[in-house]
Amino acid sequence: MNKQDLIKNSKRVVIKIGSALLIDSKTGKLQKNWLESLAFDIHNLINSGVEVIIVSSGSIALGKKQLCLKDNLSLDEKQAAAATGQITLAHAWKETMSKYELNVAQILLAPDDTETRRKHLNARATLIRLLDLNVIPVINENDTVSTEEIRFGDNDRLAARVAQMCSADLLILLSDINGLYSSDPNKNKDSVFIDEITEITSKIEYMAGPTHTTFSSGGMVTKIEAAKISTNAGCHMIICDGRINNPLLKLQQTKTKFSWFKANHQPMSARKQWISAALQVKGRIIIDQGASDAIKKGNSVLSAGIIGTEGNYEKGDLIEIIDHNKKIIGKGLTHFSHTEIELIKGSHSDNIESILGYRGKDEVVHRDDLVLDKNKSKD
Ligand code: GLU
């Protein structure tokens, strides 16, 4: 694949926009013209069939200006600034994208929302539903409740977690530098531009320098961390210069220089690898012959085919799937707890709502969350 075709060949793209691009470092105000040029690019991408998720920083920098706070904010000042600035930030996104009749939705995430499997599934489901409804999710860290110990701290890693969570094909870090160099190009004129990175070796990690700009909290170090997360999740990552107008359009032109961190494998296999590598199985469900045949053909596990359940598991937990001969067929993430399964087993998916009193998922274990394991027996 040619570098400039990366966007065109992607179905789902996460774009991370740092504070240093969105906010003028002298006035502390939003760079409206730049944002409008980016909105134009995003609109074009969506029209060509690409799904777009935005991770946008800026709340702390905007709130700091609004509240006339000085540099070196304390934790509660940062939280207050984020609470104030996030409204302005969300409003700017809404206003700008509405010029193209595009809807945006704000999602604020804390680390627990992406690390805990159950919350991760909930956040993923919301994101995917928004995309289905043609809404652009605009994500930021939930800075108002984050403390120094419990926070992503920078939106590079948050964006990579989001890319992993929603099985994106491409993560674009719009930055104040056009890519990775062998050393800091501002200090060393012999530093070499790194075009393509197929593996994140210790040499690559060594090349990452410290943070330089006033507003952005992530330097090259956090970008390399983000690259590790996304490439391991089967998602390509790009670091490119975002300081120009229409940065996404420019990215598709042959002459534009940027660094490409190549994905290790396909997104879905990364997700399935997470499941097959997970050790903590919380319980099991036993399914009938028809259901075992169906899942071997690539279908999801439905309540109708379940004949029993064992163990105490919750929604989002990893469970084993056993056939009626006690053979382990696979494992996957359940959308229902053991108490719910006890009630809905053997029933058609259409009846779940009347049995439980609320509408859950149609599938107990979705095929995307299921890994087959052919040769093991439970006993
Ligand atoms: N979440 C922070 C904000 O919106 C910024 C984090 C970052 O710049 O990486 O202000």
Side-chain angles (χ1 to χ4, degrees), residues 286-307:
I286 300 108
I287 58 173
D288 64 19
Q289 183 70 55
S292 345
D293 293 344
I295 70 166
K296 284 177 192 159
K297 283 188 198 137
N299 292 308
S300 301
V301 180
L302 302 178
S303 48
I306 301 178
I307 50 180

Side-chain angles (χ1 to χ4, degrees), residues 2-42:
N2 287 328
K3 278 180 94 176
Q4 64 273 16
D5 293 336
L6 267 167
I7 297 190
K8 208 170 70 191
N9 289 339
S10 301
K11 200 180 164 315
R12 188 170 288 164
V13 178
V14 176
I15 303 164
K16 183 259 172 179
I17 298 132
S19 307
L21 300 176
L22 262 175
I23 293 141
D24 185 305
S25 59
K26 291 193 190 79
T27 63
K29 286 195 179 149
L30 260 170
Q31 307 261 38
K32 282 205 174 146
N33 289 343
W34 179 84
L35 185 57
E36 274 173 23
S37 82
L38 179 69
F40 174 82
D41 289 3
I42 292 173

